[in-house]
Amino acid sequence: MHIVIFTGGNLRPGKFVQNALASCDKVIAADSGAKTAMDFQTLPTAVIGDLDSLGSATKKVLEQKGCDFVIYDAKKDETDTELALRYAIKNNATQISILGGTEGDRLDHILTNILSVININIPIKFINGPVAAWIEKGPTIVKITGSTKDLISLIPLTPEVTQIQTSNLRYPLRGETLFMGRGRGISNVLTHKNAEVTFSRGTLLFVHYSTAD
């Protein structure tokens, strides 16, 4: 089951957002993400969080439409996005798309959102406008589909990511190692619509910037 989570903060429209909404089975929202969902003409089936940033008018409309609310005390140890992830997994998610959560002036929230999925063993993507980001662990083969001139960044989340082999990227890696804290994997470019990245050990954050939007 593919579940979409709307988070709080700014969400820009784009191809990745449209594709996620078109292919999902269920939509939920983390707190004020419910308002964002409604702005995108989408009704969440559930809203999760402490509701400290969801307006009363929006909440009333959602209640009238039959939306469920899973409310937590504000003095909690998890972010609303973490709680929404937990809810999605409990509700049999096999794939999750998180819309938003990667832009804004709260760097602490952005980093926490990304790192909170590192140990979840189902496919999870962060999507905002022309950007999609996701985490992969080796050994694996990652297939990327996009447009020529799209940007692909490979960011190590472990001290080393080893035996990286790429195809159809402008700056190839041929069995090389990327190191955490170094920018070697930033801003590569798709030369074909389909590319491939393989690596044997470590954890990589993939960031795909679409030029088609």
Side-chain angles (χ1 to χ4, degrees):
M1 175 182 288
H2 179 196
I3 294 182
V4 161
I5 299 173
F6 278 87
T7 67
N10 181 54
L11 176 65
R12 293 180 288 154
K15 177 184 69 175
F16 290 139
V17 175
Q18 294 170 357
N19 290 346
L21 291 174
S23 65
C24 74
D25 301 295
K26 182 181 289 188
V27 174
I28 65 176
D31 205 325
S32 64
K35 173 63 165 59
T36 307
M38 294 180 69
D39 290 342
F40 277 75
Q41 287 75 55
T42 302
L43 179 67
T45 60
V47 180
I48 296 91
D50 57 20
L51 307 191
D52 65 340
S53 55
L54 180 66
S56 58
T58 301
K59 184 174 184 292
K60 184 176 181 180
V61 170
L62 290 169
E63 287 173 335
Q64 291 171 345
K65 292 182 178 294
C67 181
D68 292 328
F69 288 84
V70 183
I71 303 174
Y72 290 81
D73 191 279
K75 295 179 180 179
K76 60 189 189 310
D77 294 327
E78 304 87 356
T79 66
D80 291 330
T81 301
E82 286 180 279
L83 294 172
L85 279 166
R86 184 184 298 174
Y87 179 93
I89 293 167
K90 185 177 179 180
N91 282 267
N92 304 313
T94 56
Q95 176 185 352
I96 297 173
S97 295
I98 300 174
L99 305 188
T102 55
E103 295 186 3
D105 56 3
R106 288 299 302 270
L107 180 60
D108 50 349
H109 279 279
I110 293 169
L111 291 174
T112 298
N113 285 342
I114 293 171
L115 295 177
S116 69
V117 308
I118 198 168
N119 291 316
I120 299 177
N121 294 318
I122 61 174
I124 299 175
K125 280 191 176 181
F126 289 90
I127 296 170
N128 202 330
V131 183
W134 68 97
I135 291 172
E136 301 279 359
K137 295 182 179 181
T140 190
I141 300 171
V142 181
K143 298 182 183 297
I144 301 168
T145 301
S147 303
T148 57
K149 299 184 180 179
D150 282 5
L151 298 181
I152 302 293
S153 289
L154 309 177
I155 303 171
L157 297 181
T158 48
E160 296 181 357
V161 180
T162 62
Q163 291 294 309
I164 303 173
Q165 189 84 24
T166 65
S167 64
N168 294 337
L169 294 181
R170 181 177 297 170
Y171 310 108
L173 297 170
R174 300 185 176 93
E176 298 176 51
T177 297
L178 290 180
F179 298 93
M180 180 187 287
R182 300 183 188 176
R184 175 80 195 286
I186 299 294
S187 298
N188 217 320
V189 183
L190 281 177
T191 57
H192 296 73
K193 291 183 178 180
N194 297 294
E196 191 173 280
V197 177
T198 68
F199 59 99
S200 63
R201 183 170 54 86
T203 302
L204 274 179
L205 173 65
F206 285 71
V207 184
H208 182 176
Y209 292 86
S210 172
T211 59
D213 284 304

